[in-house]
Amino acid sequence: MRWILVPLLLLLGACGESRSKPTDAGEDVIADVQEEVVVTPGFEADPEPEGPGVYVDVDVTDPDAPVATVWAADMGPVFGIALHVTLDGTHVAAHDAAIEPCLGSDSAGEAEYLVGPGASDVSLGAVRRGPDAGEVEITAPVLVATIPLTVVAHGASRVEVTSVQVRRADGSFTAIEVAGGLLTTGGVP
Amino acid sequence: MRRLATFLIVFLMTAHAHADVDFLDQDLTVDLATDPSEVTVTASVRISMVTDTDSLSLWQAAIPLVSIEWEGTPLTVTERGWWYSADLPSTVTAGTEGTLSVVMSGVVDCPYPGGYVTCVRSADLTFLMPPWEAGSWYVMNAEGSTFDDHTGSIAITQPTAHNAAAMGITPVMVDNGDGTSTWTFAFDRQVSYLAFVAGNLDEVTSSDGFSIRGLYQGDTHVRDLMQGMVDEAGLFAPIFSDLWGAPPVEEVDYTTFSGRTPFAGTSIQGLIFLADYIFTPTYSYLISAVSHELAHLWWGTMTNAASTSEFGFFAESMAEYSMWRAHGIVSGEDVRDTGSRMNAVWYMYGRPSPTSDTPVLSPLGTEIAIFAVYHKGSTVVRTLEEAAGAEGLDAGLRAMVEAGPDGANIVDFVDAVDAASGVDLTPYVDIWLRGRGFPVVTVTPSIVESTDGATATISAAGLDFPMQLPFKVLMADGTVIEDTLPYDFGSGEVVIDLPDLPACVQIDPGWTAVRELSPSVDGDVSFDGRVDGADLIEVALKYGGAMPSERRVDGAYDPLYDLDGSLVIDDGDLSTVVAAAE
Ligand SMILES: [Zn+2]
C-alpha cells in the first residue's frame, strides 16, 4: 500500500491559467491558480529499494496526526533487525511507537523486540531468541513498526531510516537498501 | 569412584647432578609371552664411574629382583625404602666403565600416591610407565638431584598378533617363528623416562602430515574418535615443528589405557597415554584437549624450566596455548578464539572464590595453580603474542626449545623476544605472570558522524594490565575493519575513521587477554555509545552461553553479554537491553 500524494504544489505568478499535474494513478489534480502558497499534506517516498530493503511510509489521512509505518522486504533469512527512524524535530515528533511481531511471537518466546522512543529518533530492534531459534524468512513486505507522529510545524521535512542492520544467525550481515521520504505536514500545528 | 585428574605430563629430566656414577646406555628385554600375568625384564646397563665408587644407588624395582651383577659378579643388595643400594665387589675407580646386569621377573607393582598405579599387566594389555613413588620397571639411577638420562633400547617379546609403541620410536619387528614376535625400540637420544604399551591393540594411522599411530582397545566408536585424534595430531605436529623446531621422535603414538590410573592423559615423549574413560560420553569433552598432550612433546620434553615456579608456564601454559594456536591455523581463528575464551573465563569465574588466586608463575600441584597456570597462563601467552607479534613471540619460544630440557626460563625468553621484535615484555611478565588477578576495563566509545563517514574514538580505563586489544568494527554491509586498542598503565585510546556509522564494535572478540569488559553505557555491548537494536542482536547471538561447571567444557559463555549476571545468557539479558533502551 504505497502511493505518492501530490506533494507541494507551488504555482506562483501564473495569471488566469489552470495547471495540472498527473499523479502515479493517472488522475489529475487540479490546483487553483492563486497568488498564494498552497501547502497540501503528503508524503513523497524515495524510490523503493530494489533488493533487500527497509522503507518508510506515512499516512497523512489525518493531517494533524500522520502515522509512519516501517516496512521490510526481500531480506531472505533474518535473525535480527535493528534500525532507527529519524525525524526533523522542528516539524514532527514521534510518540508511542509500536513494533510488530515480524520475527515471531514475543509472548511465545520466539523473538524479542525493542523500541527506544525519542521525539526525533526512534530505535527499533527485533531479534530471534538465540541462534537455536533459527531465522525468519522475509520476502514480501512485512510491517515492522507503526509510529504515530505529532505535527510540530507546517512544512516539508525528511523522514529517514538510519543505522539499519540485518543479521543472520551466524552473525553475518545482509546488505540493505533504505528509503525514507519527504513528509509535508499541514493542518493546524 | 574414579578421580578425574588433570592431564599430566611426564617430563624428560636432564643429566644428573652430583652423582658418583653416570648411566651411559641401557638395553632392556621385556618378556610378555611366557606368563600372561607376569613380566620378565632383563637390563644391561653401561655405567661410567664419575668418582671412585663402591656402591650403586638404584630406584626400587617394580618387578621382583631376580639377580643383579656387576661385570658378571653378583652384588649384595640392601633395601632402603624407595631405593636400594648394591655393593660393588670392590671400589671401582673414577673413569672406569662397566656393565650392570639386572633381571627382574614376576608381578609388577607401580604405586602412585592415593592408591593408583602407573603400570598394568594383563594378557591383553601391558603398559609400564616411569615411577612416581617407587617401583621402576627398568634400572634407574637413584643418585643425584635429577634423573640420569642415557641411550638404549627396549625389546618386547609378545604374541605375534599384538601391537606395541614406545616413546615415539618406530619399532623393528622380528617374527620369532614360535607364535611370538620381538618389537625393538632403539633410542640414541638421551632419555631418563622410559615407557611402552603393548598388547592386543588395534591401530589407526594419521591420514596426513606427521606419522601418528593410534593404538586402541574398543569398538568402532573408540576407533573413530582415535582416528580423529591422530588425524589432528598429524596436522598439528608439523605446525609445531615449523614454529619451534622438529621433535626428536620419528612418530607419535597415542594409546588407550585402562586400569586404576590417576590421570586422563599422559605424555611421555612421543607416547601419549589416553585413559579409556575419556572415550565415554561423560568425558567426551576431553577428546578436544588431546592435542594439548601432543604439544607437551615440545613443552615438557624438548624443553622445560628448571625452576619449579616457571616449570608450569613452560609446560602447561604453553601446551594449552599451542593446541589452540594450531586449531586456529587448521580450522580458523574462530575455533582458536573459543579455546582462549573458555580458558580465560574458567580462570576468571571458575575459581573456588574470587580471592583464591596465585600467579601464573607458581609451582604446580595445587588446585588453584590449575586455574592460574593452565587457564590464565595459556591466555597470557596469547596476550604476549599480541604485544610482541607472532614472529617476535615465536623467536622467544624457539630459543626456549633450543635451550632444551631445564633450559627454559623467563629472563632468557624475554631477552629473545626483545632481540627479535624490539618489544620488552618485562612489564607483561611482572604484571600478568608474577602478579595475580585480571583487569576489569571500562570501554567508552564516542562516535561522531561526519560528512564522509564517521570518526570513532574508543577509550578504555581500568587496572594496570598492559595489553594490545584487537578490535573489529562491523559495518552493516558486512565490511569488517580491524585495529588495535593499546592499553597501558591502566588506560588506552584509539581514534579510527570509518566510512559510515558502525553496526557494531567488538573489543577483543578473540579473547587475547584475560579481562572483563564493561561498556560505559549499561547495555551498550555493541560499543557504539547507545543502547538499541544493535545491542539486542549482539546479545541474542550469544544466547544460550552459560558458565560451565567443569573445566575444559566450553559453555560459550562471554560475560560481556551476561548483563544480569546470572551466568547464563538468556531472556533476562535480552530484557535488560530492552529496558535500557527505553
Ligand atoms: Zn599438560
Side-chain angles (χ1 to χ4, degrees), chain A residues 72-82 102-103 126-128 133-139 165-169 172 174 176, chain B residues 537:
Chain A
D74 286 332
M75 289 178 174
V78 175
F79 176 75
I81 303 173
C102 56
L103 293 183
V127 74
R128 301 286 290 167
E135 298 157 328
V136 168
E137 190 86 14
I138 291 182
T139 46
Q165 58 175 285
V166 174
R167 298 181 73 173
R168 301 198 53 181
S172 64
T174 300
I176 293 293
Chain B
I537 294 174

Side-chain angles (χ1 to χ4, degrees), chain B residues 237-313:
Chain B
I239 290 172
F240 299 151
S241 296
D242 289 347
L243 290 173
W244 309 309
V249 296
E250 300 151 339
E251 62 179 51
V252 169
D253 305 308
Y254 282 11
T255 184
T256 58
F257 71 102
S258 54
R260 197 175 154 68
T261 53
F263 28 65
T266 309
S267 170
I268 302 173
Q269 304 209 20
L271 177 57
I272 293 167
F273 291 90
L274 301 170
D276 53 3
Y277 61 82
I278 75 167
F279 294 85
T280 63
T282 308
Y283 297 115
S284 60
Y285 60 88
L286 290 172
I287 293 288
S288 65
V290 163
S291 288
H292 170 112
E293 297 303 312
L294 174 72
H296 274 314
L297 187 50
W298 282 259
W299 309 111
T301 297
M302 290 165 69
T303 189
N304 61 49
S307 151
T308 55
S309 63
E310 296 182 5
F311 180 86
F313 175 73

Side-chain angles (χ1 to χ4, degrees), chain B residues 415-435:
Chain B
D415 286 348
V417 171
D418 198 347
S421 67
V423 176
D424 180 8
L425 292 177
T426 303
Y428 286 75
V429 169
D430 289 345
I431 295 171
W432 283 107
L433 296 180
R434 298 191 199 284

Side-chain angles (χ1 to χ4, degrees), chain B residues 328-347:
Chain B
I329 291 168
V330 170
S331 305
E333 286 299 300
D334 288 356
V335 176
R336 181 190 198 187
D337 298 347
T338 63
S340 204
R341 173 182 38 69
M342 176 177 70
N343 279 316
V345 163
W346 183 249
Y347 164 76

Side-chain angles (χ1 to χ4, degrees), chain A residues 84 127 129-131 163-165 167, chain B residues 476 503 530 532 534 538 540 571:
Chain A
H84 288 246
V127 74
R129 288 182 191 264
S163 297
V164 181
Q165 58 175 285
R167 298 181 73 173
Chain B
R530 58 186 179 181
D532 59 10
E538 279 289 275
D571 291 340

Side-chain angles (χ1 to χ4, degrees), chain B residues 132-374:
Chain B
W132 266 263
E133 280 191 328
S136 179
W137 68 271
Y138 56 98
V139 181
M140 278 185 81
N141 188 358
E143 282 197 321
S145 56
T146 54
F147 297 107
D148 187 355
D149 56 359
H150 51 77
T151 58
S153 65
I154 305 170
I156 300 164
T157 299
Q158 60 176 346
T160 295
H162 285 191
N163 204 338
M167 299 150 57
I169 303 158
T170 301
V172 174
M173 284 157 284
V174 174
D175 190 330
N176 300 319
D178 58 357
T180 70
S181 291
T182 299
W183 299 54
T184 301
F185 301 85
F187 49 99
D188 56 9
R189 62 182 193 270
Q190 297 289 315
V191 178
S192 60
Y193 267 27
L194 310 183
F196 73 85
V197 64
N200 187 16
L201 294 148
D202 289 319
E203 179 176 313
V204 292
T205 56
S206 52
S207 310
D208 200 4
F210 201 76
S211 175
I212 315 285
R213 286 197 294 147
L215 279 53
Y216 67 95
Q217 289 183 334
D219 55 16
T220 55
H221 171 73
V222 174
R223 181 199 64 200
D224 292 346
L225 289 174
M226 183 62 90
Q227 183 69 58
M229 286 187 279
V230 302
D231 283 346
E232 182 173 289
L235 297 177
F236 282 17
I239 290 172
F240 299 151
S241 296
D242 289 347
L243 290 173
W244 309 309
V249 296
E250 300 151 339
E251 62 179 51
V252 169
D253 305 308
Y254 282 11
T255 184
T256 58
F257 71 102
S258 54
R260 197 175 154 68
T261 53
F263 28 65
T266 309
S267 170
I268 302 173
Q269 304 209 20
L271 177 57
I272 293 167
F273 291 90
L274 301 170
D276 53 3
Y277 61 82
I278 75 167
F279 294 85
T280 63
T282 308
Y283 297 115
S284 60
Y285 60 88
L286 290 172
I287 293 288
S288 65
V290 163
S291 288
H292 170 112
E293 297 303 312
L294 174 72
H296 274 314
L297 187 50
W298 282 259
W299 309 111
T301 297
M302 290 165 69
T303 189
N304 61 49
S307 151
T308 55
S309 63
E310 296 182 5
F311 180 86
F313 175 73
F314 283 109
E316 300 304 347
S317 304
M318 281 306 308
E320 186 70 10
Y321 164 83
S322 302
M323 173 176 73
W324 290 109
R325 184 157 172 198
H327 272 301
I329 291 168
V330 170
S331 305
E333 286 299 300
D334 288 356
V335 176
R336 181 190 198 187
D337 298 347
T338 63
S340 204
R341 173 182 38 69
M342 176 177 70
N343 279 316
V345 163
W346 183 249
Y347 164 76
M348 291 195 296
Y349 312 115
R351 284 175 291 138
S353 80
T355 55
S356 174
D357 199 2
T358 192
V360 173
L361 298 185
S362 294
L364 294 172
T366 63
E367 184 191 11
I368 195 63
I370 290 175
F371 290 93
V373 179
Y374 287 71

Side-chain angles (χ1 to χ4, degrees), chain A residues 81-86 99 112-117 121-127 162-165 167, chain B residues 447 501-505 521-540 563 573-582:
Chain A
I81 303 173
L83 60 93
H84 288 246
V85 175
T86 55
I99 193 159
E112 177 69 281
Y113 295 92
L114 173 151
V115 180
D121 183 344
V122 180
S123 68
L124 301 169
V127 74
T162 61
S163 297
V164 181
Q165 58 175 285
R167 298 181 73 173
Chain B
I447 294 169
L501 290 173
C504 175
V505 179
V521 175
D522 286 344
D524 180 24
V525 298
S526 66
F527 294 112
D528 63 355
R530 58 186 179 181
V531 182
D532 59 10
D535 304 291
L536 190 68
I537 294 174
E538 279 289 275
V539 173
L563 297 169
D573 304 298
L574 293 174
S575 300
T576 303
V577 175
V578 171
E582 281 171 354

